[in-house]
Amino acid sequence: MSELTYTKNGDYLIPDLTLIEQPETSLGKYGRMRKSYLKEHRPILWNHLILSEKLYPHLREIDETANRRLEQMIPELMKSAGVTESLKSEDPMKWTGLMNSLKAQAEEIILKELVFN
């Protein structure tokens, strides 16, 4: 860590703080949701992550983990609910409804465990 310098502004010494530039990569759905949650409900953690330059790595990690977890959970939920490819060809509307329900269940778990925690 480099030596901290100050700039005099009137009677006050203001620290010269600079942040290392973070690579700007777009965040996915879960990363953006985590960002909004931290900003609104966890301001101390939000500020700590910004000042320690760990915010965007944290958001990218949450987004990647949530997407991986969703990909793992959907097949497991499909198996437990009896959703098969034959159902898809026999009754596409029922299959679509079940898949939407399973995705909503998986997302609810992911949001509770990763995003809003």
Side-chain angles (χ1 to χ4, degrees), residues 90-101:
E90 293 168 8
D91 192 352
M93 293 302 287
K94 183 177 181 181
W95 182 86
T96 302
L98 286 170
M99 288 302 293
N100 287 340
S101 175

Side-chain angles (χ1 to χ4, degrees), residues 32-74:
R32 290 190 310 268
M33 290 173 82
R34 176 71 173 170
K35 181 179 177 184
S36 296
Y37 170 75
L38 290 174
K39 197 172 191 179
E40 289 180 31
H41 301 286
R42 304 282 304 275
I44 294 171
L45 179 57
W46 166 261
N47 286 326
H48 172 71
L49 288 170
I50 287 176
L51 293 175
S52 65
E53 300 177 359
K54 294 178 182 173
L55 177 64
Y56 281 95
H58 171 75
L59 296 175
R60 280 193 303 270
E61 181 182 350
I62 291 290
D63 191 60
E64 290 168 5
T65 304
N67 284 314
R68 270 195 319 272
R69 188 118 157 79
L70 186 64
E71 288 175 13
Q72 290 172 348
M73 288 177 75
I74 293 292

